[in-house]
Amino acid sequence: MRGPLSFAPFRWLLAARTTAIVGNAVAPIALAFAVLDLTGSAADLGLVVAARSVANVAMLLFGGVIADRLPRGAVLVGSSLAAAATQGTIAALVLTGTAGIPILVLLGVVNGAVSAVSLPAAAALVPDTVPATALRPANALLRLGLNGGSIVGASVGAVVVAAVGPGWGLAIDAAAFAVAALLFARLRLPERADAASSGETASVWSDLRVGWREFASRRWIWIVVLQFAVLNAAFVGATTVLGPLVADETFGRAGWGLVIAAQTAGLALGALVALRWRPRRALGIGVAGMASVGLPVTMLALQPTLAVLVVAFAVGGLAIELFAIAWDQSLQTHVPRETLSRVYSYDMVGSFVAVPLGEVLVGPLAHAVGTPPVLLGCAAVIVLASIAASCSRSVWRVRTT
């Protein structure tokens, strides 16, 4: 069997997505501390990151339609250039001292909308670059590249933010998106794949209805999406908003970058495991394993020391990656190619819809009752959601090769 790297389209896809993530891994760290430098408020930080999430969720369904109708390579070039522009603007505002919460919220909305267009296109493009027999190793290699890039980005970002300030970290992100756009432009797909739906005359709403039927007709898909609607709200709220706050009060900003890098190292290890370990019921194993993601959140509450958090976040990263690779392979194997972007968009909407709520609520709750109780509550939500989803027989019936 020819490996994924023997196919040129896959190599360009891998290079482009890895380049983007190197810069993008810096952005959450840089943005978090840029906001904390401005106001010192966890509530303000929650508002800024929630604005991006709301826009992302609101646009995801239309992003899936766009990705199924237009050449996906062109969609990725355009969205990368737009992301470079928005992140570059935020960097300039922070560096010149003219940034404020309202303008950061507005630019976050734009950036979230741009991301909503690119995410379904990038996920659905993988089967167009390799044959079906190479899907699992292709997804594992993509995830390995993304995770390796995230390790580098988070580590460099922590150093840059601590040494010269968050504005330069955001500038790195903008530059990475610009380079990614050049790499996506080199992507050449077969005419059948690249012209996916160019001849369709159906309305956008008709496209959305077709995508919904494909999504809703598979019980295992919407059960897992419900799991992640709850899980993501708790995990992202805990780590994106309260994590930097705990770091500022304990082991420092550079240490938080190392913690995020440790999680990404766990993701990379998961990708390496997935290259060799190919269980037929990978999805069920991945869904059940997500309960372990409650561990790093628990340790943030009970033992916020650098050594403990590095280990806990690495374990959580391993579990996330084993699930993510199984999930991508399951969707790419069992959903028709012509509707895959739309199914991915419904998946992403459902999985991310409650994230803004988690981001907005955890800050005020932490001010009201304290950070540790809120973190422990988030950990409990993660564990219970994973147990509930893993009890579904439909999830365990999904098989992969």
Side-chain angles (χ1 to χ4, degrees):
M1 182 184 69
R2 296 175 66 190
L5 291 175
S6 64
F7 299 93
F10 177 78
R11 293 197 299 270
W12 287 114
L13 178 64
L14 176 63
R17 294 186 66 182
T18 302
T19 300
I21 203 65
V22 168
N24 215 24
V26 182
I29 300 171
L31 183 61
F33 291 118
V35 174
L36 291 177
D37 285 344
L38 279 174
T39 68
S41 169
D44 284 341
L45 175 55
L47 181 63
V48 171
V49 296
R52 183 188 185 281
S53 298
V54 167
N56 186 261
V57 170
M59 283 295 296
L60 268 171
L61 294 183
F62 298 100
V65 172
I66 290 170
D68 276 337
R69 281 177 170 246
L70 300 178
R72 289 168 180 155
V75 169
L76 290 170
V77 171
S79 60
S80 296
L81 290 174
T86 57
Q87 293 298 83
T89 302
I90 296 173
L93 292 171
V94 173
L95 287 170
T96 57
T98 56
I101 298 302
I103 189 64
L104 291 179
V105 167
L106 177 61
L107 289 170
V109 168
V110 176
N111 191 264
V114 169
S115 176
V117 175
S118 67
L119 285 174
L125 193 62
V126 181
D128 293 336
T129 62
V130 296
T133 53
L135 274 177
R136 185 173 177 85
N139 282 308
L141 284 172
L142 274 172
R143 300 287 303 184
L144 188 60
L146 296 178
N147 297 329
S150 294
I151 292 172
V152 173
S155 302
V156 171
V159 173
V160 169
V161 169
V164 295
W168 289 108
L170 292 163
I172 291 173
D173 186 27
F177 272 117
V179 174
L182 295 175
L183 294 172
F184 278 127
R186 299 296 302 272
L187 191 61
R188 298 290 183 269
L189 297 173
E191 185 176 351
R192 172 196 58 78
D194 205 33
S197 309
S198 58
E200 289 186 3
T201 57
S203 69
V204 170
W205 301 111
S206 176
D207 280 351
L208 288 174
R209 285 195 297 270
V210 171
W212 174 255
R213 284 198 298 269
E214 293 290 346
F215 173 86
S217 64
R218 294 167 174 82
R219 181 181 177 87
W220 58 274
I221 292 182
W222 57 260
I223 284 178
V224 175
V225 170
L226 282 176
Q227 172 196 5
F228 275 80
V230 177
L231 187 152
N232 282 338
F235 184 74
V236 175
T239 58
T240 303
V241 178
L242 298 184
L245 195 66
V246 172
D248 252 357
E249 295 172 351
T250 54
F251 50 84
R253 297 182 174 189
W256 182 243
L258 291 176
V259 169
I260 299 302
Q263 176 179 288
T264 313
L267 295 171
L269 178 60
L272 288 172
V273 171
L275 281 170
R276 293 290 183 182
W277 184 45
R278 304 185 183 185
R280 290 183 62 80
R281 301 184 190 273
L283 182 62
I285 294 170
V287 166
M290 287 301 297
S292 64
V293 176
L295 175 64
V297 179
T298 301
M299 291 300 101
L300 265 176
L302 301 180
Q303 194 68 33
T305 60
L306 189 56
V308 170
L309 290 177
V310 163
V311 174
F313 272 78
V315 171
L318 173 64
I320 291 170
E321 194 66 2
L322 289 176
F323 163 79
I325 292 171
W327 180 244
D328 281 336
Q329 186 187 9
S330 299
L331 289 179
Q332 293 162 6
T333 301
H334 296 285
V335 175
R337 188 82 55 85
E338 62 273 12
T339 59
L340 185 55
S341 291
R342 279 166 281 177
V343 172
Y344 262 118
S345 68
Y346 278 108
D347 158 34
M348 292 170 184
V349 167
S351 298
F352 300 156
V353 68
V355 166
L357 184 63
E359 291 169 331
V360 169
L361 287 181
V362 292
L365 284 173
H367 285 306
V369 302
T371 300
V374 176
L375 287 169
L376 290 173
C378 290
V381 166
I382 291 168
V383 173
L384 291 174
S386 300
I387 291 173
S390 65
C391 289
S392 171
R393 291 182 180 179
S394 65
V395 171
W396 289 96
R397 289 195 188 107
V398 177
R399 298 190 180 189
T400 53
T401 57

